[in-house]
Amino acid sequence: MKSLWNILLATTLCLLLPLHMSASPASDDQPSARYSNGHTCVACVAVVSVIEQLAQVHNSTVEASMERLCSYLPEKLFLKTTCYLVIRMFGPDLIKLLSTDMNADVVCHTLEFCKQDPGQPLCHLYPLPKEPWKFTLEKARQILKKSPTLKHTRSSPDVCSLPFLAKICQRIKSTIENSVPFKDGDSDKYSIFPTLRGYHWRGRDCNDSNKMAYPGRRPDNWDIHEDSNCNGIWGVDPKDGIPYEKKFCEGSQPRGIILLGDSAGAHFRISPEWITASQMSLPVPEEISLPEPDVPPSWAYSRAVRVSPHLKRQPHRLHPPHADLPCRGQSQLLKESGLLEESVPLRNFWCLWFFCTIPLTPNSYGELIIRCPNLRKEGSLLKSFINLPIALTNELDWPQLSGATGFLDSISGIKENSIYLRLWKRNHCNHRDYQNISRNGASSQNLERFLETLSRNQLLDHPAIVIYAMIGNDVCKGKVDPVAAMTTPEKLYSSIMQTLKHLNSHLPNGSHVVLYGLPDGTFLWDNLHNRYYPLGQLNKDVTYAHFYSFLNCLQVSPCHSWMSSNKTLRTLTSERAKQLSNTLKKIATSQKFTNFDLFYMDLDFQEVVDEWRKRGGQPWQLIEPVDGFHPNEVASLLLADHFWKKVQLQWPQLLGKENPFNSQIEQVFGDQGGH
């Protein structure tokens, strides 16, 4: 795990921009020192590129662009302070090198954040300088010959050695190594805190001082006196004396959703605005013209932020996730999605209505207008890095928006919901019963390390739908010879059987387990290799083919074997993925367990592509642009839609009954306490 948290620290040092590699295979699959150095190299090249491009976009000096970059960062987690300390340390050297037209590769090799080991190829993102590499590098070193910074990087290449990063290092390390909530007062594995493995990952605790109160349990004495299962339904109907839990939920077959996944299941994402100089903290328009909505005339617009001005937009009313939520709850939803840093309280009321324009392509936000009653000053504004603290404390994952367990409405503009939200809409008694037990770098071979964090009591809890979705890391390795490191069908069979036996001893009777197959990842190269990578869009000098080659050279690629120009290697990887999928299918059709039924489902990404094409989209729009590997939110939700429709058609018993009392639950309990 060292390399995983070390790369996050490299991100803190490098302004937390380029960390797609934290979703790479687990560190025990990698040569430790080279793996860690590779991540540091990628981080350095990305940040130096952004500084250089900011200067180009704003026609400013390097010094001004560094100041500009730091000004964009939030104060939370000391990000802005850290940035200014970093530029104070490395700024003079960067100014000298970039002022002599040295590119990011040369700068980072000179500062020794990137290194060419003996006998290893030269790893570079940008085209090589016209002059010979050794000559260019020596020239750069002469420029910094007396630099005290260079002496520091030579003697201490570990970013955690920097004194002002030590505490941040320790906190991030603790976050990643522990897959249970950082803040959990009663140690029941549920939390009232959103990030650090809190309720973004599993349902919010309703009583953090009582370990017998948590999402997913059967109600204690029908929850007459308190909400023991955190679904917001408790008390007694004064009209007839019947407990609400008994009246609304008895016989409705409540069940939870549990995902055992990797970085795709956790919804790993790095915002492209973090590394795209032209999109950082764009100017805020003084006013925005939209058709006047039907709201009281005393309400006034705050400013709006134009995040993607190159997109066409049409005015559209953003329907609140729950129309009857209090104003404060509406603002909280936007805060948790990363759209707002803070809301503006006014006479104990908070913003109620939100109007926006929906982008026509994924991976971009539209304009957001905040309407507050009698608001005479600006509310919080969208910023490029506003959601960076949330991302960092969630390991750069966004489970609250994932296709399996997401509970926030999609920010991508499509109507599909997560599997959890569909279960909740089917039966409101399922409220908050979700667990995202996913981890960056997870595979069948290391699942047992965090499987114990799954929370389910056979005697006290409701059944659950468990989805096993290790869809990449059994074939995706960063090594020079990835084929030899791939999981074999025999090893997969052994690991899955151990996992299923563990589940059988923990899941309540009546549960269901679905084994997801592996996709055909040749899609990545076929649709992305000749497109410009975000860092190459400004000057048209870096494609995804260059980016993939850079990561593979450093041995930090999340999937060397599919993100490769070697067609034979890509084909071999898909063949192994198919073999592993067949192994999962064989297990599902031949094995029986006492406490759950077992099913298998193909992960047919082509069906998602076909559906997206029908809506006018292009295949490349389904992949996260910064890492060029993970399915984005649109793809994740379309996969959830595919899952739901197939289950409805073939195995409807998995979903439980539709609760006829849902409308009455809403009338009595509103949003059931929110998420």
Side-chain angles (χ1 to χ4, degrees):
M1 294 301 299
K2 178 180 179 180
S3 61
L4 294 181
W5 68 264
N6 198 35
I7 186 55
L8 286 175
L9 263 298
T11 303
T12 302
L13 172 63
C14 299
L15 316 184
L16 301 144
L17 300 174
L19 297 185
H20 71 279
M21 66 291 297
S22 71
S24 302
S27 61
D28 58 352
D29 294 334
Q30 305 289 346
S32 177
R34 180 172 175 80
Y35 189 62
S36 179
N37 290 338
H39 286 141
T40 304
C41 178
V42 175
C44 176
V45 170
V47 174
V48 173
S49 297
V50 169
I51 291 172
E52 186 177 18
Q53 292 180 18
L54 277 173
Q56 183 179 347
V57 167
H58 296 280
N59 192 26
S60 67
T61 64
V62 173
E63 182 177 8
S65 71
M66 289 189 292
E67 291 282 343
R68 184 186 300 274
L69 180 56
C70 290
S71 71
Y72 293 161
L73 295 177
E75 295 284 359
K76 292 181 179 179
L77 299 182
F78 307 104
L79 296 178
K80 189 187 293 288
T81 300
T82 298
C83 180
Y84 282 119
L85 288 170
V86 169
I87 65 171
R88 181 178 179 182
M89 177 177 289
F90 297 102
D93 290 345
L94 291 178
I95 293 172
K96 292 176 184 177
L97 293 174
L98 292 178
S99 298
T100 56
D101 295 327
M102 303 290 183
N103 68 19
D105 290 317
V106 177
V107 170
C108 292
H109 275 85
T110 304
L111 294 176
E112 298 191 0
F113 287 112
C114 297
K115 297 180 180 180
Q116 182 181 7
D117 295 331
Q120 297 296 323
L122 172 66
C123 302
H124 60 95
L125 179 63
Y126 294 94
L128 289 172
K130 295 180 180 179
E131 297 178 323
W133 174 258
K134 290 185 178 180
F135 175 82
T136 303
L137 188 59
E138 182 58 32
K139 181 179 177 181
R141 286 172 175 167
Q142 288 300 317
I143 295 174
L144 302 185
K145 189 174 182 180
K146 297 182 179 180
S147 169
T149 303
L150 191 58
K151 294 179 181 179
H152 177 82
T153 58
R154 282 175 176 164
S155 62
S156 187
D158 184 356
V159 295
C160 288
S161 64
L162 299 175
F164 52 86
L165 289 179
K167 289 185 178 180
I168 299 178
C169 278
Q170 187 59 38
R171 184 164 187 177
I172 295 174
K173 179 180 179 180
S174 174
T175 300
I176 296 178
E177 289 185 345
N178 298 302
S179 293
V180 292
F182 182 76
K183 292 186 177 181
D184 181 9
D186 54 15
S187 299
D188 61 1
K189 299 181 182 178
Y190 294 90
S191 177
I192 59 174
F193 189 74
T195 60
L196 295 170
R197 290 281 167 169
Y199 65 77
H200 282 177
W201 298 84
R202 52 184 91 202
R204 180 158 61 92
D205 203 339
C206 53
N207 188 341
D208 207 28
S209 60
N210 180 5
K211 68 183 305 178
M212 298 306 294
Y214 55 86
R217 70 157 293 171
R218 300 179 189 274
D220 179 20
N221 193 27
W222 294 114
D223 285 359
I224 293 175
H225 301 293
E226 64 177 343
D227 188 5
S228 67
N229 56 16
C230 301
N231 67 1
I233 302 170
W234 65 285
V236 177
D237 189 338
K239 297 178 182 178
D240 53 24
I242 300 176
Y244 285 115
E245 181 82 41
K246 182 178 179 65
K247 174 180 287 190
F248 294 150
C249 299
E250 184 179 25
S252 69
Q253 302 177 343
R255 62 203 55 209
I257 175 75
I258 301 173
L259 177 68
L260 304 178
D262 50 23
S263 52
H267 188 29
F268 184 90
R269 182 177 191 269
I270 295 177
S271 173
E273 288 84 8
W274 297 351
I275 66 168
T276 308
S278 59
Q279 296 183 24
M280 288 186 183
S281 195
L282 296 169
V284 180
E286 289 295 328
E287 191 72 32
I288 185 159
S289 298
L290 284 179
E292 185 65 17
D294 184 19
V295 294
S298 61
W299 287 27
Y301 280 122
S302 72
R303 285 186 176 179
V305 173
R306 195 180 301 271
V307 178
S308 301
H310 62 286
L311 298 175
K312 294 181 180 179
R313 300 179 174 83
Q314 63 183 53
H316 185 82
R317 185 166 179 162
L318 177 63
H319 181 69
H322 306 291
D324 56 350
L325 263 182
C327 304
R328 183 169 184 171
Q330 298 286 1
S331 292
Q332 183 66 22
L333 287 173
L334 281 179
K335 286 173 66 179
E336 292 174 358
S337 68
L339 292 178
L340 293 178
E341 183 175 33
E342 59 181 335
S343 298
V344 181
L346 194 68
R347 297 180 183 176
N348 296 321
F349 287 94
W350 295 54
C351 302
L352 175 60
W353 293 105
F354 305 98
F355 294 83
C356 71
T357 60
I358 304 300
L360 299 182
T361 61
N363 296 323
S364 55
Y365 301 110
E367 295 166 345
L368 174 69
I369 293 180
I370 310 165
R371 269 190 172 272
C372 298
N374 302 315
L375 184 63
R376 296 306 178 195
K377 63 178 181 178
E378 293 180 15
S380 299
L381 302 177
L382 291 173
K383 300 176 183 177
S384 299
F385 295 95
I386 204 70
N387 53 16
L388 190 54
I390 293 176
L392 178 62
T393 50
N394 267 339
E395 302 160 43
L396 295 181
D397 296 322
W398 298 84
Q400 71 274 30
L401 294 168
S402 68
T405 63
F407 58 86
L408 297 179
D409 276 10
S410 167
I411 60 175
S412 60
I414 69 171
K415 67 181 187 302
E416 279 74 14
N417 287 314
S418 70
I419 298 172
Y420 160 70
L421 280 179
R422 291 168 188 256
L423 281 172
W424 171 79
K425 290 180 179 180
R426 187 179 182 88
N427 184 356
H428 285 3
C429 298
N430 294 330
H431 188 60
R432 293 190 189 173
D433 195 359
Y434 60 89
Q435 297 180 55
N436 194 316
I437 314 296
S438 298
R439 197 165 180 173
N440 297 341
S443 72
S444 67
Q445 302 304 295
N446 58 31
L447 174 59
E448 62 179 342
R449 299 179 189 174
F450 57 98
L451 188 58
E452 292 290 342
T453 67
L454 183 149
S455 175
R456 218 63 178 181
N457 186 300
Q458 286 186 317
L459 299 178
L460 297 179
D461 298 349
H462 288 301
I465 302 170
V466 179
I467 301 175
Y468 171 91
M470 301 293 176
I471 65 174
N473 292 322
D474 282 297
V475 295
C476 288
K477 307 295 178 181
K479 295 184 177 181
V480 174
D481 183 10
V483 176
M486 292 179 187
T487 301
T488 63
E490 294 75 19
K491 286 185 176 180
L492 180 70
Y493 185 92
S494 176
S495 298
I496 295 301
M497 290 304 299
Q498 291 180 20
T499 297
L500 294 176
K501 290 177 182 178
H502 178 91
L503 292 176
N504 195 47
S505 65
H506 287 75
L507 293 178
N509 189 264
S511 295
H512 307 279
V513 175
V514 180
L515 303 178
Y516 236 143
L518 281 70
D520 180 0
T522 55
F523 169 93
L524 298 171
W525 180 268
D526 292 344
N527 289 279
L528 289 175
H529 77 278
N530 59 353
R531 297 192 62 82
Y532 286 112
Y533 183 68
L535 288 176
Q537 290 174 2
L538 183 64
N539 297 308
K540 311 299 181 187
D541 53 357
V542 177
T543 64
Y544 278 93
H546 297 131
F547 175 64
Y548 290 167
S549 177
F550 181 49
L551 299 185
N552 290 337
C553 179
L554 292 169
Q555 298 185 38
V556 297
S557 172
C559 196
H560 183 166
S561 45
W562 271 326
M563 300 162 67
S564 169
S565 60
N566 187 330
K567 184 177 181 179
T568 300
L569 178 58
R570 300 198 304 270
T571 302
L572 286 172
T573 306
S574 293
E575 290 176 354
R576 177 59 60 86
K578 187 174 182 179
Q579 292 172 1
L580 297 182
S581 295
N582 288 336
T583 300
L584 294 171
K585 187 174 184 179
K586 177 182 176 182
I587 293 173
T589 55
S590 64
Q591 299 296 321
K592 302 294 182 183
F593 295 88
T594 57
N595 287 319
F596 59 81
D597 296 325
L598 188 59
F599 305 90
Y600 170 82
M601 184 180 292
D602 283 319
L603 200 166
D604 192 345
F605 200 74
Q606 188 57 47
E607 291 188 6
V608 172
V609 173
D610 293 342
E611 173 61 29
W612 186 236
R613 285 186 184 276
K614 291 178 183 178
R615 305 186 187 193
Q618 295 297 317
W620 59 268
Q621 294 172 325
L622 296 171
I623 301 299
E624 286 293 342
V626 175
D627 60 56
F629 175 64
H630 292 92
N632 63 13
E633 185 187 11
V634 171
S636 181
L637 291 174
L638 291 178
L639 282 169
D641 184 60
H642 171 262
F643 176 93
W644 188 265
K645 289 177 178 177
K646 186 166 185 177
V647 170
Q648 278 187 315
L649 182 65
Q650 298 185 7
W651 317 306
Q653 69 274 20
L654 268 71
L655 306 178
K657 299 177 181 179
E658 290 192 48
N659 193 332
F661 298 105
N662 283 339
S663 60
Q664 294 183 47
I665 292 173
E666 292 179 15
Q667 290 174 6
V668 177
F669 296 102
D671 70 335
Q672 298 171 257
H675 288 94

